[in-house]
Amino acid sequence: MAQRTEKEETEFKVPETMTLCVNNCGLIGNPATDNMCQNCFTAATTAAVAVAGSSSQSSRSTPSRSLNKRSDCSPPKTTTSPRAAGTEKKVVNRCSGCKKRVGLTGFRCRCGELFCADHRYSDRHDCSYDYKTVGREAIARENPVVKAAKIIKV
């Protein structure tokens, strides 16, 4: 086994031949993606999934590639309207007891509510979680009843 010098190990090796994308979009293709660029490959796979999903045939379908089309290589465009952004549900970071903003310092109780430092204990808020029953069940589960065999008296 030949030892490499430090220069050989740290040297960056550039491939000698760079192949362009098979869809002629001008970007460099990758042999792992059938010599397509990343944009063309994702467009081809999403198109193949859409075709396979709508097809009722159980036969195996191959991804269809459209040659000489630059529109396949364009990045996907997303349009966001102000109404769509407003419908997203925001995370509530307020204490359920006093409605004070808690930020990262909020405490999640076992009842599922979020509380500030003052209301985090179960006796400080109306907690619906039954600690007694859960404790009794845990003790009963961990400590089974042991019965000794009866001794026969002679």
Side-chain angles (χ1 to χ4, degrees), residues 95-99 107 109 111 113-129 131:
C95 174
S96 296
C98 62
K99 305 298 181 200
F107 295 92
C109 181
C111 63
E113 300 293 328
L114 185 68
F115 295 101
C116 64
D118 294 335
H119 296 106
R120 68 180 175 175
Y121 300 112
S122 61
D123 60 342
R124 298 297 224 142
H125 67 271
D126 295 327
C127 190
S128 60
Y129 190 78
Y131 288 93

Side-chain angles (χ1 to χ4, degrees), residues 18-110:
M18 296 184 135
T19 57
L20 293 175
C21 179
V22 293
N23 289 342
N24 295 328
C25 64
L27 298 174
I28 297 183
N30 187 356
T33 58
D34 297 329
N35 290 330
M36 287 192 280
C37 66
Q38 189 65 34
N39 295 336
C40 293
F41 182 73
T42 55
T45 54
T46 55
V49 169
V51 169
S54 64
S55 174
S56 63
Q57 297 177 354
S58 63
S59 65
R60 189 174 172 186
S61 64
T62 59
S64 61
R65 281 190 230 147
S66 56
L67 297 174
N68 296 330
K69 285 191 176 181
R70 296 184 133 241
S71 63
D72 288 346
C73 293
S74 63
K77 296 176 183 174
T78 57
T79 58
T80 57
S81 63
R83 288 186 219 144
T87 58
E88 295 176 7
K89 186 178 179 182
K90 294 192 176 191
V91 178
V92 178
N93 287 335
R94 294 191 176 269
C95 174
S96 296
C98 62
K99 305 298 181 200
K100 181 172 126 180
R101 290 190 66 184
V102 292
L104 297 174
T105 61
F107 295 92
R108 245 328 136 200
C109 181
R110 289 188 180 179

